[in-house]
Amino acid sequence: MLKGKTALVTGSTSGIGLGIAKALAAQGANIVLNGFGDVEGPKAEIAALGVQVTYHGADMSKPAEIAAMIEHAKTTFGSVDILVNNAGIQHVARVENFPIEKWDAIIAINMSSAFHATRLALPGMQAKNWGRIINVASVHGLVGSAEKSAYVAAKHGVVGLTKVTALENATTGVTCNAICPGWVLTPLVQKQVDAKAAAQGISNADATKQLLGEKEPSMQFTTPEELGALAVFFCSPAGDNIRGVAWNMDGGWTAQ
Ligand code: NAD
C-alpha cells in the first residue's frame, strides 16, 4: 500500500517508533530512522522487510539538526510523505521540585521537535497534495497524572498542534492526527516500573501490576505492533478524511 512512499519516524531506534517504522515498512514504505543507541539492529530489522532504510542521528532538541535530517531524507529518497513525530523522554517529579533543565528538554524533545519537523516537511507534502503527519502524543495529551508536569504539558501541546496542522490543510490531501497510547512496555516505561519496585521494595511483577492497576482497566500493555497498525490505518485511503483526531489506544484509561 505504501510502496514508493517515504516515512520518517523520529525516535525510531527503540520502542513505539521502531514498531511504527516496521509496520510502515511492511506496507512498502522506505524508512528514515532516527534516535540514539543501537542503530545497526533496527536498520537490519527494517531492511529485512525488503525496503530501503537510512538513518539520521539528529538530536530532536536542536532545530538545526532537525532541518539537516529532513534534508537528508529528501536527498536520499526525494521526499518525506509520512512524518511520524515520536521521539520523547520522561522525567518524574513534583512541580516544585521539577529540574528546570528537564522541563526545557521535555518541552523541546516531546513538543517543539514536532513543530520543527512538521513545518519543514509540510511544503513537500503540500506540493504533492498527499501527506500524513502522525504525532505520537499520549493519554497524557488528554488527561494529567501527578509528577509529570512537563510531559503532560508537552503532550497536550502536541494534541493542540495536531488540530491546527489538520485544520490548516483540511482541504488538501495532507492529514495530521495524534495517537494517544496508554502504558506501552518500552524502555521509557520499564524505568518507571523499576523505580516503583525499588521505592516500595516489591518485585518487578508486582510493580507492573500496580502500574497497570492504577490507570488501565484492561490490565494490559498496548504494544508497538498495535500502534504500528493504527499508523498504517491513518496512511490508508480510509484515513483520507480523518483530520485532527487524538486517538487513544489505552486499555480504557481515559474512558473512566
Ligand atoms: P523509548 O525510550 O523506547 O524510545 C524513545 C526514542 O526516542 C528512542 O529511539 C530514543 O533514542 C529517542 N530519543 C530520545 N531523545 C531523543 C533526542 N533528543 N533526539 C532524537 N531521538 C531521541 O520510548 P517509547 O516508549 O517508545 O516512547 C516513544 C514515544 O511514545 C514518546 O514520545 C513517548 O512519550 C510516547 N508514549 C510512550 C508511552 C509508553 O507507555 N511507553 C505511552 C504514551 C506515549
Side-chain angles (χ1 to χ4, degrees):
M1 186 176 77
L2 300 176
K3 218 171 169 37
K5 302 239 189 291
T6 299
L8 189 166
V9 186
T10 71
S12 47
T13 49
S14 168
I16 295 169
L18 180 56
I20 292 177
K22 281 162 71 175
L24 296 173
Q27 295 295 325
N30 293 326
I31 302 293
V32 184
L33 290 173
N34 159 260
F36 302 146
D38 176 36
V39 173
E40 291 314 313
K43 247 179 133 174
E45 285 187 58
I46 300 285
L49 295 165
V51 298
Q52 294 181 58
V53 54
T54 185
Y55 167 80
H56 193 281
D59 179 337
M60 296 304 291
S61 66
K62 306 211 163 95
E65 293 188 21
I66 297 171
M69 177 180 66
I70 301 281
E71 271 319 298
H72 171 78
K74 286 187 192 159
T75 313
T76 310
F77 293 131
S79 60
V80 176
D81 306 295
I82 299 162
L83 168 66
V84 182
N85 289 309
N86 166 80
I89 57 167
Q90 177 64 286
H91 185 79
V92 179
R94 289 176 60 87
V95 172
E96 64 272 27
N97 300 328
F98 213 91
I100 293 167
E101 66 281 5
K102 292 283 185 199
W103 172 275
D104 288 343
I106 289 175
I107 296 298
I109 296 165
N110 294 19
M111 184 178 75
S112 302
S113 73
F115 160 68
H116 292 298
T118 297
R119 74 180 170 79
L120 294 161
L122 262 175
M125 294 179 182
Q126 288 160 342
K128 285 175 123 182
N129 199 33
W130 196 93
R132 293 288 186 266
I133 299 171
I134 300 170
N135 293 325
V136 179
S138 165
V139 285
H140 287 117
L142 305 168
V143 297
S145 287
E147 303 195 347
K148 294 187 176 173
S149 54
Y151 190 86
V152 170
K155 295 298 188 180
H156 274 68
V158 166
V159 169
L161 172 68
T162 302
K163 291 175 183 169
V164 174
T165 306
L167 289 175
E168 288 180 0
N169 294 280
T171 59
T172 77
V174 180
T175 72
C176 179
N177 293 290
I179 295 179
C180 298
W183 292 123
V184 186
L185 194 55
T186 64
L188 183 139
V189 164
Q190 189 61 52
K191 274 187 217 152
Q192 294 173 63
V193 172
D194 295 345
K196 205 179 238 315
Q200 296 181 31
I202 56 177
S203 72
N204 231 276
D206 285 342
T208 302
K209 245 190 239 153
Q210 226 187 72
L211 191 94
L212 287 169
E214 281 165 8
K215 301 283 188 184
E216 208 154 308
S218 69
M219 292 299 286
Q220 276 177 32
F221 290 106
T222 299
T223 65
E225 290 74 22
E226 289 162 351
L227 294 162
L230 180 55
V232 167
F233 171 65
F234 282 144
C235 294
S236 76
D240 280 354
N241 205 26
I242 303 177
R243 299 179 188 273
V245 305
W247 190 309
N248 44 309
M249 205 182 236
D250 64 359
W253 183 324
T254 56
Q256 298 168 97

